[in-house]
């Protein structure tokens, strides 16, 4: 089980960009945290009557609340279940997926959205990358563009989501924090579901409420909240797990 001491927002954010996030669901599948992710997976699977949720936005109100950790581990958990899963890094300003999986961030989503070719289906296999986890593919963000919000709101992005929904059982969309930029709102308006990650002892109640309101304004389907970094029972540290409700 991976335990981490609580750090400042800036230090934690920079570390995840340089080193990626801990894939606890992969290297400690029998641990307590992995069990929490399986519970999250189960609750998502039963949260929609009449059909499965495929595209899932994972976001937070503010930076460094652990949404990329939750997104990556949730993707692993779905893949381990045998579902064909893709993790897409939509945080073009502060990406983490490339570092987490040891992939160069030279291609990725930005290349797909800006290529002159109109054939998105031919570009996806080129820029998406398989991982050493069976059933899990990742799509890194690519080089930082001058206009991330415009790209995510483009017709090509909508077309890409349609293609991914056809080709994959689960699409996990790691987006920037809601209160930082409009990116999460844009994507959440087209996704099947949205999950908010809230860091225990760090998130501001008013900020969480503001983020929820912004998502509701674009008719995002908020299906639950993950309370991240709950304190260990003996109070000695924090863990990257989650409680879903």
């Amino acid at each position: 089980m991976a335990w981490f001491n609580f750090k400042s927002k800036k230090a934690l954010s920079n570390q995840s960009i340089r080193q990626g996030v801990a894939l606890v669901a992969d290297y400690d599948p029998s641990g307590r945290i992995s069990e929490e992710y399986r519970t999250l997976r189960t609750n998502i699977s039963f949260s929609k009557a009449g059909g499965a949720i495929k595209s899932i936005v994972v976001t937070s109100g503010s930076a460094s609340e652990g949404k990329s950790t939750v997104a990556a581990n949730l993707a692993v958990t779905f893949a381990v279940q045998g579902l064909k899963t893709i993790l897409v890094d939509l945080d073009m300003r502060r990406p983490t997926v490339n570092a987490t999986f040891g992939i160069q961030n030279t291609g990725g989503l930005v290349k797909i959205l800006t290529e002159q070719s109109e054939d998105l289906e031919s570009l996806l296999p080129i820029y998406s990358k398989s991982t050493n986890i069976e059933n899990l593919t990742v799509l890194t963000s690519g080089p930082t563009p001058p206009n991330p919000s415009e790209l995510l709101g483009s017709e090509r992005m909508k077309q890409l989501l349609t293609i991914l929904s056809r080709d994959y059982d689960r699409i996990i969309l790691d987006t920037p924090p809601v209160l930082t930029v409009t990116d999460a709102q844009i994507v959440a308006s087209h996704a099947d579901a949205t999950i908010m990650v809230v860091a225990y002892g760090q998130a501001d109640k008013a900020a969480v409420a503001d983020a929820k309101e912004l998502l509701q304004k674009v008719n995002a389907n908020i299906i639950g909240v993950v309370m991240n970094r709950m304190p260990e029972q003996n109070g000695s540290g924090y863990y990257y797990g989650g409680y879903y409700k």
Side-chain angles (χ1 to χ4, degrees), residues 76-159:
V76 170
T77 306
F78 275 121
V80 170
Q81 191 183 28
L83 297 174
K84 189 178 180 184
T85 304
I86 185 167
L87 171 64
V88 186
D89 195 341
L90 279 71
D91 197 340
M92 299 178 184
R93 299 168 180 84
R94 304 185 70 82
T96 60
V97 170
N98 57 300
T100 299
F101 292 90
I103 300 171
Q104 288 192 351
N105 201 22
T106 54
L109 178 65
V110 171
K111 289 291 187 180
I112 291 177
L113 297 180
T114 57
E115 282 278 2
Q116 295 298 317
S117 170
E118 295 183 0
D119 187 6
L120 290 175
E121 295 190 48
S122 65
L123 295 174
L124 187 58
I126 296 174
Y127 292 116
S128 59
K129 304 295 180 182
S130 59
T131 69
N132 60 0
I133 300 171
E134 189 175 0
N135 299 315
L136 180 59
T137 300
V138 298
L139 180 60
T140 64
S141 66
T144 303
N147 56 342
S149 298
E150 286 75 9
L151 287 179
L152 295 178
S154 67
E155 189 61 34
R156 283 179 73 88
M157 184 64 200
K158 296 177 187 177
Q159 294 172 4

